[in-house]
Amino acid sequence: MTREEDIRKAVEVLRKGGVILYPTDTVWGIGCDATNEEAVKRVYDIKQRDDSKALICLVDSDARMQRYVRNVPDVAWQLIDSLQDSDSKPTTLILDGAINLAANLIAEDGSIGMRITHEPFSKELCYRFQKALVSTSANISGEPAAQNYCDIDPRIIEAVDYVCWSRRQEHKPHQPSSIIRLKQNGEVTIIRK
């Protein structure tokens, strides 16, 4: 199966409210349409995770990110520009003022974690889907994140609607993203390096 066919099938499932397993710029992820409350609920159920713990979203560009955050602070744009280098570690920004997303995806304080992906497969997937994509590690809550496809718990594989073929053969270390909390007032807090 070509990467294009894989992405086309994944997008088809996402548009129908389905849940997918896919390779990201970090670890393997469980994903769904970030605007679909039912799909988001299924992701929490699959992970056996309390929905008070917010999930993050992947987008393909800063323009797409602006659709989901009311006012992106200036410090975020400076950080995004500095992370354009392909050698930079993927970084998730937690931003205030989430909008146009499923209510059960947004944290109680109104914030959302978003990451612009530069990895070719997940970037193309987000671009073709034309919406924010939920991206949470492909593991049961409390267990280690699946760095590669071979690390994914069979219960998760059976619970999703589509498993991407791309990068399944990979066997190399992957790490979760850095997480930085950015407040509207410019306050920066590093949550995970």
Side-chain angles (χ1 to χ4, degrees):
M1 178 181 293
T2 67
R3 189 172 87 178
E4 279 64 39
E5 289 172 317
D6 200 13
I7 288 171
R8 188 174 44 75
K9 287 188 176 188
V11 167
E12 208 172 277
V13 169
L14 291 166
R15 287 199 176 125
K16 290 178 182 168
V19 175
I20 66 168
L21 256 180
Y22 67 109
T24 75
D25 52 344
T26 58
V27 296
W28 269 74
I30 302 172
C32 71
D33 177 348
T35 67
N36 183 325
E37 208 161 318
E38 279 302 306
V40 171
K41 182 185 180 314
R42 276 193 59 213
V43 171
Y44 281 115
D45 292 346
I46 290 167
K47 282 186 71 78
Q48 299 172 27
R49 182 174 175 171
D50 183 350
D51 70 4
S52 67
K53 292 181 178 178
L55 303 173
I56 70 152
C57 298
L58 277 190
V59 291
D60 63 316
S61 65
D62 50 5
R64 184 113 39 227
M65 185 172 75
Q66 285 182 285
R67 291 186 191 173
Y68 303 107
V69 177
R70 189 166 282 113
N71 292 306
V72 179
D74 289 340
V75 68
W77 297 124
Q78 294 162 9
L79 200 52
I80 288 165
D81 287 344
S82 73
L83 296 170
Q84 295 292 344
D85 177 5
S86 61
D87 292 337
S88 296
K89 183 176 182 183
T91 301
T92 300
L93 303 179
I94 298 177
L95 302 164
D96 292 326
I99 54 172
N100 304 321
L101 293 165
N104 55 346
L105 186 60
I106 300 169
E108 284 182 20
D109 65 0
S111 67
I112 187 69
M114 295 211 109
R115 185 167 74 247
I116 299 171
T117 179
H118 300 288
E119 182 274 327
F121 183 86
S122 54
K123 186 175 183 78
E124 182 75 9
L125 178 63
C126 290
Y127 174 75
R128 295 279 173 219
F129 185 49
Q130 295 284 299
K131 288 185 185 179
L133 187 62
V134 165
S135 182
T136 183
S137 55
N139 61 312
I140 305 292
S141 196
E143 293 181 4
Q147 293 185 37
N148 296 286
Y149 176 75
C150 61
D151 303 323
I152 301 171
D153 188 309
R155 293 173 293 176
I156 289 179
I157 295 169
E158 290 164 19
V160 301
D161 302 304
Y162 183 72
V163 181
C164 291
W165 287 92
S166 299
R167 293 179 45 202
R168 279 197 196 183
Q169 305 309 316
E170 219 172 63
H171 291 281
K172 62 183 193 180
H174 294 278
Q175 296 178 323
S177 70
S178 296
I179 300 176
I180 299 176
R181 175 79 165 99
L182 301 177
K183 292 275 201 180
Q184 280 296 334
N185 64 7
E187 185 184 318
V188 177
T189 307
I190 296 171
I191 295 173
R192 181 170 69 201
K193 279 194 170 193

